[in-house]
Amino acid sequence: MTGEARRPHTGRRRNEAARRAILDVAVDLLGRPGDTPVTIDTIAAAAGVGKQTIYRWWPSKGAVLLEAMAEHAGTAIPVPDTGTLRGDLEAFLTATFRAAGERLTATVLRHSMAEAQRDPHAREQMRALIETRRRVLRGILERGRERGEVSAGSDLDLMVDQAYGVLWYRILTGHAPLDDAQAAELARALSAQAG
Amino acid sequence: MTGEARRPHTGRRRNEAARRAILDVAVDLLGRPGDTPVTIDTIAAAAGVGKQTIYRWWPSKGAVLLEAMAEHAGTAIPVPDTGTLRGDLEAFLTATFRAAGERLTATVLRHSMAEAQRDPHAREQMRALIETRRRVLRGILERGRERGEVSAGSDLDLMVDQAYGVLWYRILTGHAPLDDAQAAELARALSAQAG
DNA sequence: CCTTTATCGAGACCAATCGTCTCGACAAGT
DNA sequence: ACTTGTCGAGACGATTGGTCTCGATAAAGG
């Protein structure tokens, strides 16, 4: 990631390779051990890019981090269809916890959420990303309701928040792990409370 | 909070009034509308205190914010004893959500959690505070288990995280409110999944 | 072709902010 | 009375987010 082959100039059009380098470097720096500073200057330097090239395309540092996070954590979690609510939940939550619990990803998520609390641009991107994720899980619950596995009185949004709440709470405080066992148990608990 | 009666000098001993002013001002500034900057300088100025008086007693800005939060949000939530798990949960969660959902408190919590992600001192204080809170709720669940209202297979720590997870997740993203109705529904859901 | 135009990398520059250090004043301890 | 630790005030250095400028480069467009 440090000074090798020169990036070809693309003249009047946006340099896509530079964009990639910036986003990749942002994630890479966040993952470095110790308290490596992740600043606009270090990102620009490591990506071999001028600061203006960053600010020409992103409104703030937080916006860069959030987009980097969205791409890094954007591994599409497949929407399962096992035939039962519990099965679907277990598959979805296991994949989700596994992705979010991975060390680098967890670090990126932590910093992104922190940044979203102070940078309005980042906050907006975070809200959109959160909303997208919530909708997917809510869809799984709605299918369960149509099958009669979720009682009519259940608050689906609250159930969604119980799942993602556990995820974020643990990522931010680090008091407990996010692993397959926890995902399975959460799936069991949620489907039990739904009936 | 701005320049009135002078604070009496206490000579060689710590000035408790100054300590109070610092912590109160920190919360007060966080609650100001708009993007009022909450910096060490503004805190010191508004509290009528020298910066050194802050750094003599706290290791970092984050540590000040976290202690201010701990005191502000430290309203002891009474541990209920209604005789049933659901009753206890509803009472506890209602009081908790009501406190955390209050505008100023929510703002303080948001900033504190963000600060905890970048300041090691704040992070440590946050961890301790989180742990204290979790223990109280876990105690309620354990009582329920002794009464046979919680199946042996239930993961109490996970249940605790479902509750506090919802709280923090909503405070940080702001996508849904924390009110009595949500607390009651969460109490219902958790006690349903426990049986 | 040759002019215009937008991006690029590099870095100077500004403003905000964290944290350190110094200073004179003051009062408790002795 | 002398020493010692805190107090309020503020200068100072370092870091960092964001703006601005500059020369180089290549696409657009007649």
Side-chain angles (χ1 to χ4, degrees), chain B residues 84-85 88 139-150:
Chain B
T84 68
L85 175 63
D88 286 356
I140 291 175
L141 294 174
E142 282 168 351
R143 279 215 321 264
R145 187 168 57 187
E146 286 161 14
R147 282 193 300 254
E149 294 183 275
V150 180

Side-chain angles (χ1 to χ4, degrees), chain A residues 64-75 108 112 125 129 133:
Chain A
V64 178
L65 288 189
L66 264 286
E67 185 164 336
M69 160 186 127
E71 296 215 348
H72 177 76
T75 315
V108 171
S112 298
Q125 286 169 272
L129 189 139
R133 298 309 182 118

Side-chain angles (χ1 to χ4, degrees), chain B residues 152-182:
Chain B
S154 292
D155 183 333
L156 299 192
D157 284 323
L158 183 58
M159 291 179 70
V160 169
D161 288 359
Q162 285 177 64
Y164 281 122
V166 167
L167 184 151
W168 280 105
Y169 184 51
R170 292 193 173 186
I171 281 183
L172 292 170
T173 65
H175 70 274
L178 286 176
D179 55 25
D180 290 7
Q182 295 292 309

Side-chain angles (χ1 to χ4, degrees), chain A residues 9-13 37-41 51-52 55 60-61:
Chain A
H9 221 288
T10 55
R12 203 155 76 147
R13 282 202 321 255
V38 182
T39 69
I40 287 293
D41 289 83
K51 293 171 64 175
Q52 187 60 278
Y55 283 109
S60 67
K61 175 192 169 183

Side-chain angles (χ1 to χ4, degrees), chain A residues 173-190:
Chain A
T173 67
H175 71 273
L178 286 175
D179 55 27
D180 289 8
Q182 295 291 310
E185 168 60 14
L186 182 56
R188 188 199 66 73
L190 286 177

Side-chain angles (χ1 to χ4, degrees), chain A residues 49-109:
Chain A
V49 137
K51 293 171 64 175
Q52 187 60 278
T53 301
I54 296 181
Y55 283 109
R56 196 187 334 270
W57 302 106
W58 287 277
S60 67
K61 175 192 169 183
V64 178
L65 288 189
L66 264 286
E67 185 164 336
M69 160 186 127
E71 296 215 348
H72 177 76
T75 315
I77 305 289
V79 179
D81 190 5
T82 63
T84 69
L85 175 63
R86 179 166 172 186
D88 285 358
L89 282 177
E90 180 163 339
F92 183 78
L93 292 180
T94 299
T96 300
F97 277 25
R98 205 176 274 175
E102 194 260 329
R103 209 192 62 80
L104 175 56
T105 307
T107 303
V108 171
L109 290 178

